[in-house]
Amino acid sequence: MRADTGAAGAYFRSMQAALKGLRIYLADAKSPLYAHGLVGQVLIPYVDRLEATFTAWEHRVGFMERFRISRADSGFPVFQNVLTLENDRATAKERLAAMPEVEALKVEMADFILRHKQFPTALQEQIAERLYLEDIGKDAVFAPFILPETIRVSVNPKNRRPYYVVHWGVFDGSQTLPMVYMATIEDSSEAIAKSLIGADGKLNPEIEIPLPVGGLLNPEFARGFDASAEKNGAYSLSPVTIAQNLDSDFEHLHPKQLRRFVLGPFYSAGVTDNSDKISSILSKVRKDENAWLLTWTMQEVFSVTERPAKRGLWSSTPARDEYHINTDDLEATRQGVSDYQKHALVPHEAYQALYASGEAESIFSGFTVHVVSGNQVISEV
């Protein structure tokens, strides 16, 4: 997309509207999502990151010639945009220090217009670049890999192991999809048990844990877990494969549940080509901010049993988990999950257009539909 075609503006308006609608849905304690515990709480900061990232990209379009999105597939910006933003973050402070403040540039723009009776395109581009650098300098964008964070610590009363709820983010380069991972992990290492668990088998109340904690709570494994999560973050890996890989990377960490939230594809009228049927219907919607459809998938895999460790004279085998795959559901088997849910978020005007076309049933087959109407989301339409 070129910055001067208007397509970029339409795309950013529709994407920002979609992310706003998604946040409304996630923040609603009455939504079906809250049957999944902490999922809503975990996801909202990642949506915030995406909003900040798209705001930065929109400013970048103001001073760069082109901005590419994955028109035919995910509908999200191609991975090169993510990498460029990440590279620019490294030099943002130095570049900002060498530039005038936005207010000074605006004064210069006004003076230029009065003196030359022309629009100062170069100054406008400088303002856009300044705003872009300020945005990415806040360290709140969606990076290729967002480090794990521990948000809950408890104890399994059956085996007296501490367990952690951890989440992290990945922007997949091959499929251009933002994803959020969330895992419940038991820790069987003796040192952490002595540190965290009291004589009654519960968390020691004298140990203060200032949640959230950056990284895995156990410092012995924190750096290794970061590396394993990044190595196993690709969309091409099924959730069961990721859980098994995390399990095999650590003798004393036992993933009991892994969830993956895959955002996309995104459909935007006049911009994306990932569905001719959807695009042609959305093109009849008058406003860009209402001419979109956002889908996402929630995948889950959980452990059904743990094979105990075996200690022998010549060799030993660490404890390993066995994960449930729902073989009664062909799609669950294909995805490598115990369970999955497909969701679609759509503005009321776009939903009406889709419904009037007679195509709504086929388009939304297998999806739970959420309709954005003003500042509320009506679910399970």
Side-chain angles (χ1 to χ4, degrees):
M1 294 186 293
R2 287 183 61 89
D4 56 0
T5 61
Y11 176 73
F12 286 115
R13 283 192 294 274
S14 60
M15 179 61 81
Q16 293 287 12
L19 294 174
K20 177 184 175 183
L22 181 59
R23 188 200 280 105
I24 292 171
Y25 169 68
L26 293 172
D28 185 0
K30 297 178 183 178
S31 82
L33 189 69
Y34 276 75
H36 296 276
L38 295 170
V39 174
Q41 174 189 331
V42 165
L43 293 177
I44 286 176
Y46 289 96
V47 176
D48 292 342
R49 283 177 175 271
L50 281 172
E51 285 190 302
T53 303
F54 275 95
T55 297
W57 277 330
E58 188 170 10
H59 285 142
R60 192 171 188 277
V61 167
F63 66 93
M64 297 299 291
E65 186 178 359
R66 293 186 180 277
F67 183 81
R68 292 181 57 220
I69 67 168
S70 177
R71 291 176 182 268
D73 296 305
S74 72
F76 278 81
V78 298
F79 192 54
Q80 184 57 48
N81 293 305
V82 183
L83 295 177
T84 299
L85 186 148
E86 190 71 1
N87 290 335
D88 286 344
R89 287 174 65 196
T91 59
K93 287 184 180 180
E94 290 80 1
R95 290 166 65 181
L96 282 169
M99 295 177 68
E101 296 286 341
V102 170
E103 290 306 315
L105 290 168
K106 287 181 177 178
V107 170
E108 193 175 345
M109 278 186 69
D111 181 64
F112 184 96
I113 292 170
L114 289 172
R115 285 189 296 108
H116 299 281
K117 311 300 182 188
Q118 294 177 347
F119 189 80
T121 302
L123 287 170
Q124 185 187 40
E125 290 178 354
Q126 273 191 277
I127 290 177
E129 185 175 5
R130 171 91 202 186
L131 292 172
Y132 166 72
L133 294 171
E134 288 178 354
D135 288 338
I136 64 176
K138 295 172 184 175
D139 198 31
V141 293
F142 206 105
F145 177 66
I146 300 170
L147 288 166
E149 182 178 82
T150 300
I151 58 169
R152 176 173 288 183
V153 182
S154 192
V155 178
N156 183 335
K158 295 181 179 178
N159 57 22
R160 292 198 170 191
R161 286 179 184 169
Y163 68 83
Y164 322 121
V165 177
V166 189
H167 63 84
W168 62 98
V170 175
F171 199 108
D172 184 81
S174 61
Q175 299 298 314
T176 63
L177 291 166
M179 303 181 295
V180 178
Y181 288 92
M182 183 175 173
T184 301
I185 299 172
E186 287 186 2
D187 189 338
S188 62
S189 58
E190 292 183 10
I192 200 72
K194 290 178 180 177
S195 172
L196 293 179
I197 302 177
D200 60 356
K202 299 179 181 179
L203 281 179
N204 187 341
E206 297 181 5
I207 303 297
E208 186 175 347
I209 304 173
L211 297 172
V213 172
L216 193 76
L217 184 69
N218 189 337
E220 181 182 354
F221 307 123
R223 183 168 294 183
F225 186 82
D226 289 350
S228 183
E230 184 171 15
K231 178 181 67 177
N232 292 290
Y235 176 76
S236 58
L237 296 175
S238 67
V240 68
T241 298
I242 294 170
Q244 289 169 340
N245 289 348
L246 290 172
D247 192 27
S248 64
D249 280 352
F250 304 94
E251 180 178 355
H252 296 293
L253 295 181
H254 313 276
K256 298 300 177 182
Q257 181 189 55
L258 178 76
R259 289 179 177 145
R260 180 164 71 181
F261 176 94
V262 183
L263 192 60
F266 175 70
Y267 306 87
S268 178
V271 180
T272 60
D273 305 321
N274 37 16
S275 170
D276 291 339
K277 182 190 295 185
I278 294 175
S279 295
S280 65
I281 297 169
L282 291 179
S283 66
K284 299 174 183 177
V285 178
R286 291 173 298 164
K287 295 182 179 180
D288 299 327
E289 55 266 36
N290 292 327
W292 54 267
L293 169 64
L294 176 65
T295 64
W296 70 87
T297 304
M298 286 185 60
Q299 302 168 309
E300 177 185 7
V301 64
F302 56 83
S303 170
V304 288
T305 188
E306 182 181 299
R307 298 193 309 273
K310 295 181 179 179
R311 307 295 179 189
L313 184 60
W314 304 111
S315 65
S316 62
T317 305
R320 289 288 178 255
D321 281 273
E322 294 181 358
Y323 297 95
H324 171 65
I325 299 299
N326 185 3
T327 54
D328 292 333
D329 185 317
L330 291 178
E331 181 63 16
T333 304
R334 184 189 68 80
Q335 293 185 31
V337 295
S338 311
D339 191 22
Y340 70 95
Q341 295 178 4
K342 295 167 68 178
H343 295 260
L345 183 71
V346 61
H348 185 258
E349 188 177 348
Y351 182 76
Q352 286 184 315
L354 291 163
Y355 191 84
S357 72
E359 300 287 352
E361 186 173 346
S362 63
I363 289 172
F364 294 124
S365 177
F367 288 85
T368 299
V369 182
H370 314 282
V371 178
V372 181
S373 181
N375 288 320
Q376 64 176 349
V377 175
I378 303 167
S379 295
E380 298 188 66
V381 175

